[in-house]
Amino acid sequence: MSPRPYTIEALEQVLTFADQEHPELVMTKPSLMNMMKQAGYKTYWITNQQTLTKRNTMLTTFSKQMDVQKYMNNSRAQNSREYDENVFAPFQEALNDSAKRKFIVIHLLGTHMKYDYRYPESFEKFKGDDGLDKKFNDSQLAYINSYDNAVLYNDFVVSELINFTKKQDSRSLLVYFSDHGEDVYDSPPHEMLGRNEGRPTTPMYTVPFMIWESNQWKSTDGRDFSKFTNRPYSTSHFIYTWADLVGITFKDFDATKSLVSNAFTKHPLLIGDPEAKGKLQEIHQ
Ligand SMILES: [Zn+2]
């Protein structure tokens, strides 16, 4: 689960030691990007999110902590048509770089609004109301279908990123997850579209999370994570999982916060604005 239903607020915790109980650590402790650089990796930030608007300042700061930055989306309007295949060329370029160790962050637009600007016509598969267990009006149906098409296109983009990595035939690990979820008339009474931290619903917080390993990685790592797939986890603790996955240890490493550790323990899944008094609440799964 994501701790926050908003891009920047979620990533400030995902990519640093900050979490819902210690949001201030975003400014006072090193980030995941700093960590990988210190560990000797050449670091790349490839983004298809807009970087020109003021709201993205924190993400721009993160990107500047890397060796190489590729900003693929220079639109000023949030609702402009951009496809995530924009990242394919710079990703392949980074993969072909001769640096010995590489750490590549790709920030996709994914299925952020406006959904029908996120996929080309060839991905317009969902149109009618087949398979929906409830009657929606035409406007709702249009949102549901364009969201599903955007998810389908996102699946294609992620599978291509895995294919490019696979073709390298090197010791590689790829982790994919979403910054947050989205409620597209999913939760009863099926009237909510988007995200609202003040009126939280499960679909705003549940996210896909997957780990892909190349054969070389598998043969040298040997850990089996398949028995961990039901662990309740907040991506606010991702930095511990990542460090554990790539074999980095440090003084404050907390194995109980690593999704892939045998020492993992359940921590409260906290949502709400951590800067507002009394707003944190625990999700029970
Ligand atoms: Zn987002």
Side-chain angles (χ1 to χ4, degrees):
M1 296 199 58
S2 166
R4 309 285 306 268
Y6 307 121
T7 307
I8 295 169
E9 287 77 0
L11 291 178
E12 278 179 4
Q13 297 189 15
V14 171
L15 297 174
T16 72
F17 287 96
D19 61 15
Q20 287 288 65
E21 288 162 299
H22 307 282
E24 73 287 354
L25 296 181
V26 66
M27 305 308 281
T28 55
K29 289 188 90 174
S31 69
L32 183 69
M33 290 68 72
N34 299 141
M35 184 172 90
M36 294 306 282
K37 236 184 117 118
Q38 277 184 39
Y41 286 75
K42 182 167 179 183
T43 57
Y44 307 75
W45 183 278
I46 301 168
T47 180
N48 198 33
Q49 296 251 345
Q50 295 156 271
T51 32
L52 293 175
T53 54
K54 202 171 174 201
R55 199 178 134 67
N56 271 334
T57 301
M58 195 64 212
L59 294 182
T60 310
T61 304
F62 286 154
S63 73
K64 296 270 164 68
Q65 297 170 350
M66 309 289 259
D67 296 310
V68 180
Q69 300 86 20
K70 300 280 182 186
Y71 306 114
M72 308 313 294
N73 179 349
N74 294 313
S75 310
R76 285 196 174 266
Q78 172 97 46
N79 284 341
S80 58
R81 186 175 285 277
E82 290 283 349
Y83 304 139
D84 276 334
E85 60 201 64
N86 288 352
V87 307
F88 289 173
F91 181 49
Q92 283 175 299
E93 210 177 291
L95 287 176
N96 290 330
D97 188 314
S98 60
K100 194 167 164 251
R101 292 167 170 220
K102 291 177 279 188
F103 172 59
I104 306 168
V105 172
I106 299 181
H107 192 190
L108 301 173
L109 260 179
T111 57
H112 284 91
M113 281 193 189
K114 194 169 182 250
Y115 312 139
D116 44 1
Y117 286 175
R118 298 293 163 253
Y119 56 91
E121 227 181 303
S122 54
F123 281 83
E124 206 185 323
K125 180 183 153 81
F126 300 100
K127 290 171 184 163
D129 59 0
D130 277 4
L132 297 176
D133 53 6
K134 184 187 169 300
K135 270 274 169 240
F136 292 97
N137 67 38
D138 286 353
S139 158
Q140 291 173 322
L141 203 55
Y143 277 113
I144 291 167
N145 283 326
S146 59
Y147 184 69
D148 287 349
N149 290 326
V151 171
L152 181 69
Y153 179 69
N154 184 242
D155 285 352
F156 158 74
V157 170
V158 174
S159 65
E160 283 295 278
L161 297 177
I162 293 173
N163 285 334
F164 296 145
T165 315
K166 207 185 236 170
K167 273 193 201 122
Q168 290 292 308
D169 196 24
S170 58
R171 189 170 184 272
S172 315
L173 170 83
L174 183 148
V175 175
Y176 170 78
F177 55 89
S178 301
D179 53 352
H180 51 74
E182 185 102 329
D183 196 333
V184 188
Y185 308 118
D186 296 292
S187 56
H190 308 286
E191 280 156 14
M192 177 66 206
L193 177 64
R195 298 160 266 139
N196 180 347
E197 193 164 50
R199 293 175 59 199
T201 63
T202 306
M204 297 176 198
Y205 292 92
T206 49
V207 293
F209 185 100
M210 65 173 138
I211 299 168
W212 177 88
E213 295 173 341
S214 71
N215 287 331
Q216 289 189 37
W217 188 288
K218 271 185 218 155
S219 64
T220 50
D221 187 282
R223 288 178 289 179
D224 173 19
F225 305 136
S226 59
K227 54 187 184 292
F228 300 154
T229 52
N230 288 320
R231 287 179 164 178
Y233 193 67
S234 168
T235 52
S236 62
H237 293 152
F238 176 69
I239 198 164
Y240 298 96
T241 298
W242 179 260
D244 197 349
L245 280 171
V246 301
I248 290 175
T249 51
F250 45 86
K251 202 177 80 202
D252 292 341
F253 179 74
D254 182 351
T256 70
K257 290 177 180 166
S258 165
L259 181 60
V260 295
S261 171
N262 287 322
F264 169 87
T265 57
K266 191 192 174 222
H267 289 266
L269 300 171
L270 299 172
I271 62 164
D273 180 355
E275 311 281 356
K277 247 195 153 32
K279 287 289 183 196
L280 288 189
Q281 54 170 304
E282 186 177 347
I283 297 293
H284 295 280
Q285 267 199 331

